[in-house]
């Protein structure tokens, strides 16, 4: 059984968790408290020497880092994996886009706005800069979604999960969904997909291993 090491509230940790939930895959979830530095503890470094989350442990000796790599692995042979070589390439294109044009800006802006608001004032200039850097990527995404319901013409896939991870919480980063109406519509559509579970459900006591 897969074991997912994750922290609460993380869009990157949410991606593999949501993928497994929608595919009805069993998983042991182990929470890592990154705010207290638990990811640098001796016990966790024995699991993942890089000291980061998420981390998907497949066997005692094999694990995968990087959220988009995890969901690619998990979706193999399922309805969430694009079926043609061209669609898989398009999915990868958007997964790379998410990690280079969206997540690096939405994530830290959200962190210091919502997750660690005590530092919001001292990081105000950084937050403004991150918000401005996120805008072109969100605008491109909005234009793309004006022409289709999901990221790929063929329907809901891991490309949606990858982009959804942080884009759906853009308002927690101080950005406005009203400026990106097609993105806002797409967020609603993703939440209506089969077996969807929101980010806030990650880490509920019934699924956390001792």
């Amino acid at each position: 059984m897969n074991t997912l090491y994750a922290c609460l509230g993380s869009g990157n940790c949410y991606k593999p968790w949501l993928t497994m939930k929608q595919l009805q895959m069993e998983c042991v979830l182990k929470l890592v408290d990154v705010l207290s530095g638990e990811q640098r503890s001796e016990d966790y470094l024995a699991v993942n020497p890089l000291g980061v989350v998420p981390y998907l442990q497949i066997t005692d000796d094999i694990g995968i880092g990087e959220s988009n790599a995890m969901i690619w692995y998990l979706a193999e042979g399922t309805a969430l994996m694009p079926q043609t070589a061209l669609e898989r390439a398009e999915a990868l294109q958007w997964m790379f886009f998410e990690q280079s044009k969206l997540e690096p800006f939405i994530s830290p802006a959200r962190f210091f706005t919502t997750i660690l608001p005590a530092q919001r004032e001292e990081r105000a200039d950084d937050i403004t800069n991150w918000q401005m850097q996120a805008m072109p990527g969100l605008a491109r995404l909005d234009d793309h979604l004006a022409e289709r319901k999901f990221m790929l013409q063929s329907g809901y896939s891991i490309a949606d999960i990858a982009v959804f991870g942080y884009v759906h919480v853009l308002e927690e980063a101080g950005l406005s969904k009203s400026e990106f109406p097609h993105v806002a519509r797409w967020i609603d559509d993703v939440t209506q997909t089969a077996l969807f579970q929101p980010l806030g459900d990650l880490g509920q006591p019934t699924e956390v291993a001792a």
Side-chain angles (χ1 to χ4, degrees):
M1 186 185 300
N2 294 321
T3 299
L4 178 64
Y5 290 85
C7 62
L8 295 176
S10 165
N12 282 332
C13 294
Y14 177 51
K15 296 177 204 175
W17 180 80
L18 176 60
T19 300
M20 287 187 281
K21 290 296 182 180
Q22 293 197 291
L23 292 174
Q24 295 183 287
M25 291 180 173
E26 292 190 9
C27 172
V28 174
L29 177 67
K30 294 191 176 182
L31 295 179
V32 179
D33 186 352
V34 298
L35 293 179
S36 69
E38 189 177 355
Q39 75 277 19
R40 296 186 297 273
S41 69
E42 184 176 338
D43 287 345
Y44 185 66
L45 290 173
V47 174
N48 180 11
L50 294 179
V52 295
V53 292
Y55 185 72
L56 183 67
Q57 190 168 26
I58 300 167
T59 70
D60 288 343
D61 301 318
I62 300 173
I64 300 175
E66 301 299 331
S67 59
N68 287 347
M70 294 176 203
I71 65 176
W72 189 273
Y73 167 79
L74 292 166
E76 181 68 29
T78 76
L80 289 179
M81 178 62 76
Q83 297 303 301
T84 69
L86 181 59
E87 287 182 332
R88 289 192 292 275
E90 187 180 0
L92 284 171
Q93 171 185 290
W94 285 107
M95 292 164 82
F96 296 147
F97 178 83
E98 182 268 339
Q99 285 287 286
S100 62
K101 305 298 184 184
L102 297 170
E103 188 271 353
F105 312 123
I106 296 173
S107 176
R110 173 177 177 256
F111 183 81
F112 290 109
T113 298
T114 301
I115 307 298
L116 201 62
Q119 295 187 23
R120 183 188 306 161
E121 186 173 347
E122 65 183 273
R123 301 302 295 267
D125 290 343
D126 290 329
I127 292 170
T128 298
N129 186 49
W130 288 320
Q131 291 167 340
M132 291 177 61
Q133 290 180 288
M135 295 291 281
L138 289 168
R140 180 178 170 190
L141 179 63
D142 198 65
D143 288 344
H144 177 72
L145 290 168
E147 301 176 355
R148 61 196 69 201
K149 182 174 182 178
F150 294 114
M151 294 301 299
L152 304 183
Q153 198 76 316
S154 57
Y156 184 67
S157 72
I158 54 172
D160 294 283
I161 294 175
V163 177
F164 187 83
Y166 273 103
V167 169
H168 86 285
V169 289
L170 63 87
E171 292 191 323
E172 294 182 11
L175 296 155
S176 175
K177 283 195 289 188
S178 65
E179 295 188 49
F180 308 102
H182 305 296
V183 170
R185 185 273 309 157
W186 166 78
I187 290 172
D188 288 341
D189 285 339
V190 171
T191 66
Q192 299 303 311
T193 55
L195 301 174
F196 175 85
Q197 292 195 42
L199 173 59
D201 284 359
L202 189 159
Q204 292 301 305
T206 56
E207 66 171 357
V208 178

